[in-house]
């Protein structure tokens, strides 16, 4: 009898130890799963907050620092053409176009520069940088056509086309990019949102260079540029002349061809706008403007 009790007690102890071992193992596994779940929840929470911030409006400071980085990317692809007299001339035209516009001032102002390439192209950043290639400068024939090129890029800036592209790019990237991949900047003037998404937002630059704005945005910029030109005293019809030149030079292989709707499509839309809007006559004579243009050609 005593032997049976001892044997039974021993079996119960072994069973108890066995259960305790299994229970401990399960608790450890459960604890690991809970910790992983907690990490997943935090990651999802961070992603949700990231997307919320990414979709917020950009401040002028945000646009400047993002645009400045975009400008650096553009310049790294095509170097600048250093001709101070011609650059000053382009910036005077830009000033004439913006001073009478709805957005005459930016955080750090508008700036026009020349890209040292004969590829026909023009591009702008939300910071107010406007880049025009030597090839496009050589293609235009007078100051009014040159004003049309600059006015088109100003229109992209004032219509917030670049900013819209940045918000779209950074919202998409926010879902797939973890916070550890973001480069932090020490400049205290940059807002938290800009610091957080500067690295991710730059993805839009490559898209902008390779694909450009949407066709509707390009056509919208042409329409707005007509008003900018008219308000500054330039002949809006020069936009149609400039597009006709681009149509004749179209080869299908230039950057301009790849990033813009066909010049014919743009020309048709511009001609319709010119017939609808009662634009005023220019404030200076074509001869005056042609003389200025020829002196910087």
């Amino acid at each position: 009898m005593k032997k049976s009790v001892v044997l039974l007690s021993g079996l119960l102890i072994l069973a108890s130890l066995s259960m305790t071992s299994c229970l401990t193992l399960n608790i450890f596994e459960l604890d690991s799963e809970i910790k992983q779940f907690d990490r997943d929840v935090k990651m999802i929470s961070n992603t949700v907050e990231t997307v919320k911030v990414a979709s917020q409006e950009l401040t002028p400071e945000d646009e400047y620092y993002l645009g400045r980085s975009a400008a650096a990317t553009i310049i790294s692809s095509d170097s600048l053409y250093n001709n101070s007299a011609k650059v000053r001339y382009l910036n005077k035209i830009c000033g004439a176009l913006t001073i009478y516009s709805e957005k005459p001032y930016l955080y750090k102002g508008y700036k026009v520069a020349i890209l040292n390439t004969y590829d026909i192209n023009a591009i702008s950043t939300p910071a107010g940088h406007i880049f025009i290639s030597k090839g496009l400068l050589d293609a235009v024939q007078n100051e009014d056509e040159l004003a049309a090129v600059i006015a088109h890029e100003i229109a992209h800036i004032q219509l917030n086309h670049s900013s819209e592209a940045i918000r779209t790019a950074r919202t998409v990237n926010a879902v797939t990019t973890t916070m550890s991949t973001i480069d932090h900047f020490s400049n205290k003037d940059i807002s938290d949102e800009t610091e957080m998404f500067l690295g991710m937002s730059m993805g839009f630059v490559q898209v902008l260079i390779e694909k450009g704005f949407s066709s509707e945005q390009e056509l919208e910029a042409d329409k707005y540029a007509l008003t900018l030109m008219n308000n500054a005293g330039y002949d809006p019809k020069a936009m149609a002349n400039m597009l006709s030149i681009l149509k004749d030079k179209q080869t299908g292989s230039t950057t301009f061809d790849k990033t813009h709707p066909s010049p014919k499509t743009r020309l048709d839309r511009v001609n319709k706008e010119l017939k609808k809007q009662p634009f005023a006559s220019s404030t200076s004579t074509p001869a005056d403007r042609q003389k200025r243009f020829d002196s910087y050609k």
Side-chain angles (χ1 to χ4, degrees), residues 3 36 45 71 74 122 145 160 166 179 182 185 212 229 234 236 248 264-265:
K3 290 183 178 179
Q36 180 60 49
S45 177
I74 294 168
E145 291 171 5
N160 298 316
I166 290 173
M179 299 305 294
I182 302 171
F185 290 78
M229 294 176 68
Y234 288 107
D248 293 338
K264 183 182 184 305
T265 299

Side-chain angles (χ1 to χ4, degrees), residues 66-83:
L66 289 165
R68 190 174 69 175
S69 296
T73 302
I74 294 168
I75 294 172
S76 68
S77 177
D78 293 305
S79 62
L80 292 179
Y81 174 64
N82 294 315
N83 184 317

Side-chain angles (χ1 to χ4, degrees), residues 9 64 73 81 84 91 157 166 202 207-208 215 240 272 284:
S9 298
Y64 171 73
T73 302
Y81 174 64
S84 57
N91 278 278
I157 296 169
I166 290 173
M202 289 319 300
V207 174
L208 188 62
S215 295
K272 288 180 181 179
S284 60

Side-chain angles (χ1 to χ4, degrees), residues 23-79:
L23 182 60
T24 302
L25 178 61
N26 289 336
I27 289 174
F28 284 153
E29 289 178 349
L30 182 59
D31 182 61
S32 177
E33 290 180 3
I34 289 174
K35 288 181 178 178
Q36 180 60 49
F37 178 73
D38 186 55
R39 286 194 293 269
D40 291 342
V41 169
K42 288 180 180 178
M43 183 179 296
I44 293 170
S45 177
N46 287 338
T47 300
V48 171
E49 290 304 312
T50 296
V51 173
K52 285 181 181 178
V53 176
S55 61
Q56 291 175 359
E57 291 293 324
L58 297 173
T59 68
E61 291 84 355
D62 292 335
E63 291 182 336
Y64 171 73
Y65 286 108
L66 289 165
R68 190 174 69 175
S69 296
T73 302
I74 294 168
I75 294 172
S76 68
S77 177
D78 293 305
S79 62

